[in-house]
Structure formats: structure tokens, C-alpha cells
Amino acid sequence: MTAPSAVWTGWQQPSPRLRSMRRAQFLLTLGVLALPGAVAAVLLGQSLIAAAVLALAVIGTLTVWTVTARQWRAWGYAEREADLLVRRGVLVWRLSVVPYGRMQFVDVTAGPVDRWLGLATVHMHTAAAASDARIPGLPTAEAARLRDRLATLGEARAAGL
Amino acid sequence: MTLPTTSPVTAPDGLVWERLHPLTPLLRGYRVIGVLAVGLTQESVRSMPARVAAYLLLGAIPLAALYGFLSWRFTRFTIAESNLRLETGVLFRRSRRVPLERLQAVDIVRPLFARALGLAELRLEVVGGGRTEAPLTYLGEDRAAAVRARLLALAAGVAADAPPPPELVLVQVPGGVLAAAIALGGPAITGGLLVLGLGVLAVVRPEALLPVGISLFPLLLGTGGFAVRRFLTEYGFTVADSPDGLRLRHGLLETRAQTIPRGRVQAIRVVEPLLWRRFGWVRVEVDVAGYPGRHTGQEAQSATSALLPVAPKGLATAVLGHVLAGVDLARLPTAPPPRRARWRAPLLFPHLGVAWDDRHAVTTFGRLRRVTDVVPNEKVQSLRLVQGPWQRRLRLATLHLDTAGRDVHARAAHRDAAEAEALFERGVLLTRAARAAESASRAALRA
């Protein structure tokens, strides 16, 4: 199987700021965990440990930089006539199709970092708990448009359970 | 009789409100007694002088009785405009409407105490919420049956006062066969082997018996408890067909009569444990949306997902063909995955398979316990194609079929990647056509 994106046209991607968001989340975590550790090690005279912590932090940052870029490229969604396609994943590829008529409700969520970057996540729920139609990193306006469109289409095509 | 009236009362709003059975508070009271009994074992209570404890107890009983009476008095229900309306609560009033076209199943549950008094609980299953949202606890047995018939008639769009339709008994599972089947099932065998091992240990190294026994006790209790519970729940299993749906009756102490209206079956699972195959037995389970999850711990004892706890394969096939028209297990042309899938799933490989026609998807897996899942096309909620790194190396992929039930998770595992993609596309078209056909037939029914 080639990357699922090869099969359909009309794929749309989340905002490139999704990368920035993931990186910012990582850096925030790093700042909370690694920096105080390194500072404490320097103060205690353990410069070797401090150097090791900093080296790990740099390696981690570089890895996260490339991984987030690849993950962002893997995300995609396509609004087809009767259903929504969502693809994602680098290590594990996933491709979901959710018919509009199966939609029970749509969520739009945004955490503090998302809001700062003007992003939101759209999550379409069906009656099956396993359904997986979540699109992160959409610009707020696009998220609102998609939510309204999904809600309208869902109502027009609603199928019973 | 001096019991308060339960006959319907016409309220000022023009609705005919009904009450639960007047013995309800008495029956629910045994739970209060249970709470009191637990309370008595607490240290603070035991250190109290006996007289104080006795006064407290004497005070608590009339209070509990008063509360029970009030909560009975304040509970009423009515069936109007194809809604069930239920009002409860003494201090905090709650008024609930259940649209009957959303009804997934109706159960009549009779716990042991209720049976002694001729009472039954009517449970309506709708989607949403983690538990049964509209239980009518308790009604007289005849009344429960009458209310059920009314609810089902309204749910099917028939006049509410239509006579309850006749039912046709399809299968009755003999108790002996059920006991044998459970004894040959995985949990009972595991428990038996544990007991055997402990017996050997008692002879070889008696001094080690106590610590090993204590550490294995939870496992023994779990396996034994499972087998006993399953027997009590599924004893006397009867499958009957009636125009308003499939009727399942079962239970030894607490009995349950389930009614699953037509078209509410989300998926079917056929299970063949290793030791059953010699006898040609299978177990059939049914997935219905709305039943509380098995693990939420709020379900009554008698809950089960069985459609047939044990039956010869031929009989199960016949019943299955009845429940989901057009399914024939005996002539199931499931295609195996490519041979290289052995590298990904060496143990499961011999029994993996999938078949998908214009009505159902069928997938198989499992080695010791062979499982066949059947999903009607119009019940597929969404499709997922997943490929892990190891699968990518072998050019394999797994297609998941998501359904609204709790237990069945159908998947075509480790298919050739190109085939899986084609299956995905075909599934999209097949399920779309099935949904359209179902919507059309519903619209025609309404018109």
C-alpha cells in the first residue's frame, strides 16, 4: 500500500501551524522538566549531568522537529459527496471513512496553545465508539466552516441506527 | 384490599398517568436493609451502647418506609404521542421523555424477590447514557407484559391497543446441554486445571498449599464465578420469534425476557470454543445498541449478550438465517489472507478470513476460540484502514468495521494491502447502498 493519499484527490491539510503547535507543546514540557534539572545540576556542581541533560534535550528537540513535520504531512481530510475521509499517522497509517449520515454530533475543541495559534480540532462522532474522525490543527474559521457543513450534511442524510 | 389505587388517573393535563405497583417500596426496601446491615458492622456503631443502636434502628425504619412511600407516590408514567413520559423524585423532580421510535430493546426483568411477589421490572434500552435510562421498577407481571406490548406496538408504528402478537418458539436450550457446554468452556477448564494443580501440590508439597492456594484464590473465584453466573443467567434459554421482534427468555433465579425489535440487531458473533467443536456446538451472541456496557457494573445479574448460549451448528445457522435474512454460515466463502500474513500473525493465520456481499460483511479470527462476526451492511457506522510498520513491510493492512454495539469488533485482519484498499472502497459503496435502501423502506413504512 502506498500512502493512502495516493488514492483520492481533493485532500486538504491542516494548517502548517499544527507543526508549531506540537513543537510548542514539546518545548513547554521540556522547559518544565529538563531546564530545572539542568540548572539544579549546575548549582550542585554536577556539570557532567547538566551537559548530559542538555544533550538529550537537543537530540529530543531535533527528533521532534522532524517527526512533527512528517506527522503534519500525514494528516489529511477529504470532503467527498457522501462521506468524510481522514488519514493520519507516520508509523501506523490510518485511513477512516465516516458517512455524513452516520454522524451523531460534532465537537470543536481548542486548548490554550491551539487558541494562541488560532487553531482548533474538529471531531465527528458516530454511534460507534471506535470511529476515528478527528482533524486537529484547523484554522478557527475553517474549523467552524467544517463543523457547520458536517452538521448540515449530517442532518440532510441522517440514517437511523 | 386496602392497597392504594394503581388504576390510571386522568390528570388535569388530559394525560392518563399510571403508577408503579404499590409493593415497589417494600421490594426496594431490602436494599435499605442491606445498607443498615453494613452500617451495623462499622466500628463506630458497634462501640455504641446497644440501646442507642436499637433506637437508631427503630427510628430509621419508619423514615425509610415514609421515603419509600413518598417516592412511590411521586413516580408516575404515561405513554402519549409515541413517547414514554416518566416523572420521578420527591425533592428533585425529574421528568423524562423517551421517543419510542428510538427504542432499541425492551426487557422484562424479574429478580428473585420480585418473582416471589409476582412483580417485574420493565427496562427500556435507548442509545445514550451509560445505563438503562428508563426502568419501570416494579410493575405487576401482567401489567409489565401489557405495557411492553403497547410500547413495542407504538415503536413499530402500529395502533397501541392492537392485540399482542402471537409468538413462535424457535429453540429451547436444555439445562443439561448448557451445563455441559459451560463445563467445556475456557473459564471452567481453567478453573478445573487450577483445582487439579492444587490437588497435586497438596500431595507433593503440602506445606506450599496454603500460600499458593491463597494467591490463586481470586483466579479460582473468577473462573468459577463466571461459569456459575453464566449457568444461572442462561438457564432455560428460549428463543422465540414474534412479529414485533425477537424474544429471548432466560434465567434461573433472576429471569429476563428480552425483546429485540426487527432491524435493531447491530451485529452477530458466532463463537466456537476448542472443546465444543468435537460436538459441533456453537454460541451465538447478538449486539444491540443501548445496552449498558458489560464493564460498567450497573447491569442486573441476568444481562447476557447471548442469542443462543449453545446449539448445534445446523440449528444456529437456521436461527441466524432467521435473524439476519440471507446469512448462511454453512456456506461461508470467506477468503483467507495471503500466506505471508503468517509472518505477522503466525497463530491466528489459519482462521483469518473475510467475505462481503451486498447484504453482510463476515469476518473470522481466533485460534482456540474461533470467532465469526457478521455485520449487516446497513449497520456499519464507519470503516478504518490501518497499517502498522510490520504490516507495511509485508504489504498487509487491516480493515476495521465500526458498529454501534458493545462487544463485536469485526475486522478483516492482515489482508493484502491492495486488496484491503479495494475492500475499503467496495465497503464504502456497499454500505452507502444499504443505507439508502433502508432509509427508503423506512420512508415507505411511514407513508
Side-chain angles (χ1 to χ4, degrees), chain B residues 56-413:
Chain B
L56 276 177
L57 206 60
L58 280 179
I61 287 172
L63 270 180
L66 182 69
Y67 178 77
F69 172 74
L70 283 178
S71 90
W72 172 80
R73 193 83 182 84
F74 279 90
T75 302
R76 55 181 198 167
F77 68 94
T78 184
I79 300 167
E81 297 152 16
S82 67
N83 282 298
L84 171 78
R85 291 175 57 176
L86 176 65
E87 295 192 348
T88 53
V90 178
L91 292 177
F92 298 91
R93 300 285 292 155
R94 192 181 68 172
S95 177
R96 170 161 275 164
R97 271 175 206 238
V98 182
L100 293 180
E101 71 261 27
R102 300 281 172 84
L103 203 62
Q104 300 291 328
V106 186
D107 290 7
I108 292 183
V109 184
R110 297 191 303 155
L112 197 56
F113 292 104
R115 277 172 79 184
L117 293 172
L119 300 185
E121 179 182 359
L122 192 70
R123 299 166 76 101
L124 280 73
E125 307 295 347
V126 288
V127 176
R131 61 204 166 97
T132 302
E133 290 292 354
L136 298 177
T137 332
Y138 291 90
L139 299 172
E141 277 170 17
D142 295 343
R143 210 143 139 262
V147 172
R148 176 180 68 180
R150 252 159 77 202
L151 293 174
L152 288 169
L154 281 172
V158 191
D161 49 0
E167 63 173 48
L168 171 73
V169 172
L170 299 176
V171 189
Q172 267 177 320
V173 180
V177 174
L178 180 67
I182 290 171
L184 289 174
I189 296 281
T190 312
L193 288 178
L194 279 177
V195 170
L196 201 70
L198 286 178
V200 171
L201 193 70
V203 174
V204 181
R205 292 194 56 188
E207 72 279 4
L209 183 63
L210 196 64
V212 174
I214 288 174
S215 61
L216 287 181
F217 187 69
L219 197 59
L220 264 174
L221 204 66
T223 52
F226 179 88
V228 170
R229 208 163 45 241
R230 186 157 261 194
F231 182 76
L232 292 179
T233 305
E234 296 177 354
Y235 179 84
F237 208 98
T238 306
V239 183
D241 190 39
S242 86
D244 58 7
L246 200 64
R247 295 269 168 84
L248 308 175
R249 280 194 300 271
H250 49 91
L252 183 59
L253 303 176
E254 174 175 312
T255 68
R256 176 178 283 236
Q258 293 172 271
T259 304
I260 304 172
R262 304 223 163 276
R264 292 307 196 193
V265 172
Q266 303 287 337
I268 297 270
R269 166 166 281 186
V270 180
V271 185
E272 296 167 81
L274 181 67
L275 295 177
W276 289 21
R277 276 177 239 160
R278 172 177 295 272
F279 306 96
W281 290 345
V282 300
R283 173 184 169 85
V284 185
E285 295 181 350
V286 60
D287 224 0
V288 177
Y291 273 103
R294 208 181 255 174
H295 308 291
T296 51
Q298 291 190 333
E299 185 56 305
Q301 298 162 11
S302 60
T304 172
S305 53
L307 173 65
L308 261 181
V310 55
K313 198 162 184 176
L315 186 60
T317 306
V319 171
L320 204 55
H322 203 84
V323 176
L324 295 180
V327 174
D328 190 354
L329 277 184
R331 291 184 287 127
L332 206 64
T334 52
R339 289 189 68 79
R340 60 180 187 278
R342 271 176 314 169
W343 298 105
R344 173 60 182 78
L347 293 179
L348 288 178
F349 175 76
H351 197 58
L352 289 177
V354 63
W356 203 338
D357 66 9
D358 55 354
R359 300 176 81 163
H360 309 96
V362 179
T363 66
T364 57
F365 68 94
R367 183 80 189 229
L368 294 179
R369 188 174 160 274
R370 285 186 185 167
V371 176
T372 307
D373 288 332
V374 185
V375 180
N377 284 349
E378 69 272 15
K379 298 301 181 193
V380 175
Q381 297 285 326
S382 62
L383 295 173
R384 276 178 301 134
L385 194 58
V386 179
Q387 188 181 46
W390 194 203
Q391 284 183 313
R392 185 151 53 239
R393 187 61 61 81
L394 293 166
R395 286 176 291 114
L396 301 172
T398 297
L399 179 66
H400 297 260
L401 287 78
D402 303 324
T403 51
R406 312 154 292 169
D407 299 323
V408 175
H409 173 190
R411 57 197 174 277

Side-chain angles (χ1 to χ4, degrees), chain A residues 1 7-8 80 82-83 85 90-99 102 126-128 130-132 159-161, chain B residues 104 127 264 378-389 392 402-404 417 421 424-425 428 432 435 442:
Chain A
M1 185 162 78
V7 186
W8 292 278
R80 302 204 298 181
D83 43 42
L85 285 177
V90 175
L91 198 61
V92 180
W93 273 333
R94 295 164 198 274
L95 172 67
S96 303
V97 57
V98 184
R102 287 304 188 196
T126 72
S131 288
D132 180 26
L161 267 179
Chain B
Q104 300 291 328
V127 176
R264 292 307 196 193
E378 69 272 15
K379 298 301 181 193
V380 175
Q381 297 285 326
S382 62
L383 295 173
R384 276 178 301 134
L385 194 58
V386 179
Q387 188 181 46
R392 185 151 53 239
D402 303 324
T403 51
E421 226 165 285
F424 179 89
E425 268 302 83
V428 167
R432 189 183 300 170
R435 273 196 308 280
R442 267 190 207 190

Side-chain angles (χ1 to χ4, degrees), chain A residues 17-37:
Chain A
R17 277 172 297 176
L18 179 62
R19 288 173 297 182
S20 320
M21 190 196 85
R22 298 275 191 246
R23 288 166 187 170
Q25 280 174 339
F26 173 76
L27 288 179
L28 281 174
T29 318
L30 196 69
V32 171
L33 293 179
L35 278 185

Side-chain angles (χ1 to χ4, degrees), chain B residues 5-19 73 76-78:
Chain B
T5 176
T6 55
S7 54
V9 184
T10 307
D13 51 13
L15 294 170
V16 183
W17 289 94
E18 298 175 54
R19 285 193 203 291
R73 193 83 182 84
R76 55 181 198 167
F77 68 94
T78 184

